[in-house]
């Protein structure tokens, strides 16, 4: 036992002495490789299982393992696990909620898609980078990596028509309740590059319903402070009909009724600021999980949100879903198409309520298992396009080739496997 322990310790020390290259892994649960980054990069804790060397600074500090706890209700069996989405940290307990339980919330007797269903209207890619340095406690360290804007034209030539551009709240208003400043000029330039392609461009505030660890409207920033941010953004882009407003990326561990009241205030503010027709994306609890949207109470809470005129026109439910073994988006291989556990039950509810959702984050590794399951998942969305508006893959932008879910074009200008063999061929609007 002592010999084995000593050997393991020696191997760990040897690995720690090495330096990882930019975009390489530098930490995480179960990881035994280099834990320091080469000069010109720093080790960013993206999730408990994965820390990555990102460009910026000259830090060679070893990564630490972050851990956050939440309860995530889904339709699958009970397990305790760590989940992440789009390269961020969260530890969660996955609580079983049988599909039959979800079905009790559905009162419609017929849920057959109309004959006109068959093709979603929108599809595209998340262009990440302005969100780098943001973690699931709503802390953003400012170490952004502005995405290469030529990717908009590249993906537009692939046939995509929608791009989601995440950014940290702190990068837009460094002071809570303050005026737009910080990176707004650079972000706006990127957004204009997106619009110039003729695509729809989604502003995504990537803060998990938080600011530096505290929940909006629930002990942290006030509702008015989030309303101030969105009022300014809506005023700025009120005349841009192809700008969509993603209120917040992946809220979690919130009181859903209180969060819905916050969302209502934001919707009212956006409309009153002059953005009267652009879509607004409404995210639920449990990291916007499509599988937990009904069982978590998000559906019942957010369906109460209305435009100032009492209508729900342009109010779209915002859901996410990954295809790996624990729905974390941290594994290269995929094991599920999410149809029976998430998208079929949700399609029933949406159809019964006369509402629509968009899958604004989904992804997998560039391997055959993900090609297979992603094609099945997206084919189902197409078959139910009366309730599912489309999908946006995660992620490209400033992600490099070593990122498990990278959709950044290859150095030779070709698309990655998953984009080429699943995301592109499934989009035929």
């Amino acid at each position: 036992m002592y010999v084995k322990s000593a050997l393991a310790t020696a191997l760990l020390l040897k690995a720690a002495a090495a330096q990882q290259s930019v975009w390489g892994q530098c930490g995480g649960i179960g990881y035994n490789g280099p834990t320091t980054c080469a000069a010109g990069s720093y080790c960013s804790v993206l999730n408990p299982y994965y820390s990555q060397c990102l460009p910026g600074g000259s830090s060679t500090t070893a990564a630490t393992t972050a851990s956050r706890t939440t309860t995530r209700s889904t339709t699958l069996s009970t397990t305790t696990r760590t989940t992440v989405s789009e390269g961020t940290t969260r530890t969660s307990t996955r609580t079983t909620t049988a599909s039959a339980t979800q079905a009790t919330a559905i009162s419609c007797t017929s849920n057959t898609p109309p004959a006109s269903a068959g093709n979603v209207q929108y599809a595209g890619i998340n262009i990440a980078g302005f969100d780098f340095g943001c973690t699931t406690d709503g802390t953003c360290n400012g170490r952004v990596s502005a995405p290469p804007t030529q990717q908009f034209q590249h993906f537009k030539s692939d046939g995509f028509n929608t791009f989601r551009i995440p950014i940290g709240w702190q990068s837009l208003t460094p002071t809570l309740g303050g005026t737009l400043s910080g990176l707004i000029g650079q972000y706006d330039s990127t957004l204009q590059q997106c619009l110039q392609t003729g695509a729809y461009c989604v502003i995504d505030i990537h803060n998990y319903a938080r600011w530096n660890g505290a929940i909006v409207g629930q002990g942290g920033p006030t509702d008015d402070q989030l309303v101030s941010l969105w009022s300014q953004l809506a005023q700025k882009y009120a005349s841009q009909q192809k700008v969509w407003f993603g209120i917040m990326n992946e809220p979690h561990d919130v009181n859903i009724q209180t969060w819905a009241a916050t969302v209502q205030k934001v919707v009212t503010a956006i409309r009153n600021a002059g953005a009267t027709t652009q879509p607004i994306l409404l995210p639920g609890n449990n990291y916007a999980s499509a599988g937990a949207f009904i069982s978590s109470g998000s559906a019942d809470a957010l369906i109460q949100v209305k435009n100032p005129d009492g209508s729900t026109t342009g109010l779209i439910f915002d859901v996410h879903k990954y295809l790996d073994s624990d729905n974390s988006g941290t594994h290269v291989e995929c094991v599920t198409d999410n149809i029976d556990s998430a998208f079929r039950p949700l399609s029933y509810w949406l159809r019964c309520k006369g509402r629509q959702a968009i899958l604004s984050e989904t992804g997998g590794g560039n391997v055959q298992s993900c090609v297979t399951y992603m094609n099945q998942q997206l084919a189902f969305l197409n078959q139910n396009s009366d309730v599912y508006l489309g999908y946006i893959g995660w992620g490209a932008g400033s992600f490099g080739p070593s990122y498990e879910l990278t959709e950044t074009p290859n150095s030779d200008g070709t698309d990655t496997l998953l984009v080429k063999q699943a995301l592109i061929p499934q989009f035929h609007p």
Side-chain angles (χ1 to χ4, degrees):
M1 180 65 71
Y2 173 80
V3 173
K4 289 183 179 179
S5 177
L7 179 60
T9 300
L11 289 173
L12 285 171
L13 289 173
K14 181 179 179 181
Q19 284 194 338
Q20 183 59 277
S21 59
V22 178
W23 303 114
Q25 185 175 1
C26 53
I29 297 172
Y31 173 72
N32 295 326
T35 57
T36 61
C37 296
S41 62
Y42 69 100
C43 194
S44 177
V45 179
L46 300 181
N47 60 70
Y49 285 107
Y50 194 82
S51 297
Q52 184 179 37
C53 292
L54 298 179
S58 57
S59 172
T60 57
T61 305
T64 57
T65 300
S67 176
R68 298 191 59 77
T69 304
T70 182
T71 299
R72 184 168 188 158
S73 298
T74 72
T75 60
L76 302 182
S77 57
T78 301
T79 55
T80 299
R81 60 168 176 91
T82 301
T83 70
V84 301
S85 173
E86 1 82 41
T88 49
T89 308
R90 62 176 177 263
T91 302
S92 100
T93 302
R94 192 170 193 174
T95 305
T96 184
T97 304
S99 56
T101 303
Q102 288 194 348
T104 61
I106 300 168
S107 59
C108 294
T109 57
S110 175
N111 280 291
T112 303
S116 59
N119 301 302
V120 297
Q121 300 176 52
Y122 308 100
I125 306 292
N126 280 271
I127 307 298
F130 284 114
D131 57 309
F132 281 11
C134 293
T135 57
T136 59
D137 68 351
T139 299
C140 298
N141 62 21
R143 287 175 166 170
V144 303
S145 179
T149 56
Q150 64 266 28
Q151 287 186 18
F152 294 122
Q153 189 57 57
H154 172 93
F155 288 120
K156 190 65 164 57
S157 67
D158 282 337
F160 293 124
N161 65 358
T162 309
F163 300 104
R164 182 170 176 259
I165 311 171
I167 187 169
W169 185 353
Q170 292 91 330
S171 292
L172 293 175
T173 58
T175 302
L176 275 173
T179 57
L180 291 175
S181 56
L183 293 178
I184 183 59
Q186 193 173 7
Y187 184 79
D188 177 66
S189 177
T190 299
L191 192 67
Q192 296 304 324
Q193 290 290 316
C194 175
L195 291 169
Q196 285 176 22
T197 68
Y200 299 90
C201 307
V202 184
I203 299 173
D204 162 52
I205 303 303
H206 217 75
N207 278 70
Y208 307 87
R210 285 160 168 75
W211 174 291
N212 296 341
I215 301 173
V216 180
Q218 301 179 39
T222 65
D223 289 347
D224 287 345
Q225 287 169 329
L226 182 59
V227 163
S228 173
L229 169 68
W230 274 112
S231 293
Q232 294 178 73
L233 289 170
Q235 252 185 337
K236 185 175 182 65
Y237 297 108
S239 64
Q240 301 280 0
Q241 292 303 304
K242 290 194 171 183
V243 171
W244 294 9
F245 304 117
I247 289 178
M248 184 63 64
N249 178 71
E250 298 193 342
H252 64 90
D253 298 283
V254 299
N255 178 302
I256 190 57
Q257 293 295 335
T258 305
W259 172 245
T262 300
V263 170
Q264 177 64 75
K265 293 178 183 178
V266 173
V267 167
T268 300
I270 289 173
R271 296 304 191 213
N272 288 342
T276 58
T277 59
Q278 293 97 322
I280 302 176
L281 308 188
L282 315 181
N285 207 354
N286 297 78
Y287 300 94
S289 169
F293 190 74
I294 299 170
S295 61
S296 68
S298 296
D300 288 340
L302 291 175
I303 202 170
Q304 306 301 321
V305 176
K306 302 289 194 299
N307 291 312
D309 64 2
S311 73
T312 58
T313 304
L315 303 184
I316 311 301
F317 298 121
D318 187 4
V319 298
H320 294 178
K321 208 76 175 79
Y322 288 85
L323 296 85
D324 53 358
S325 58
D326 58 4
N327 185 42
S328 67
T330 58
H331 304 93
V332 172
E333 296 290 340
C334 296
V335 300
T336 177
D337 57 20
N338 293 312
I339 293 173
D340 289 334
S341 62
F343 292 111
R344 194 187 308 280
L346 181 54
S347 73
Y348 293 164
W349 184 87
L350 291 167
R351 195 167 291 119
C352 290
K353 302 298 183 180
R355 300 298 295 273
Q356 293 176 313
I358 188 167
L359 177 60
S360 68
E361 274 189 34
T362 190
N366 290 292
V367 295
Q368 190 55 49
S369 65
C370 293
V371 168
T372 298
Y373 285 116
M374 183 65 79
N375 271 293
Q376 293 171 1
Q377 174 179 283
L378 300 185
F380 183 84
L381 298 190
N382 277 321
Q383 292 160 8
N384 292 268
S385 60
D386 59 314
V387 294
Y388 292 118
L389 287 177
Y391 57 87
I392 310 175
W394 185 275
S398 295
F399 282 120
S402 65
Y403 176 50
E404 291 97 330
L405 307 190
T406 188
E407 293 173 358
T408 299
N410 298 316
S411 59
D412 61 1
T414 60
D415 283 304
T416 56
L417 182 70
L418 192 67
V419 171
K420 181 169 56 179
Q421 295 191 12
L423 273 65
I424 292 174
Q426 285 295 337
F427 186 48
H428 31 79

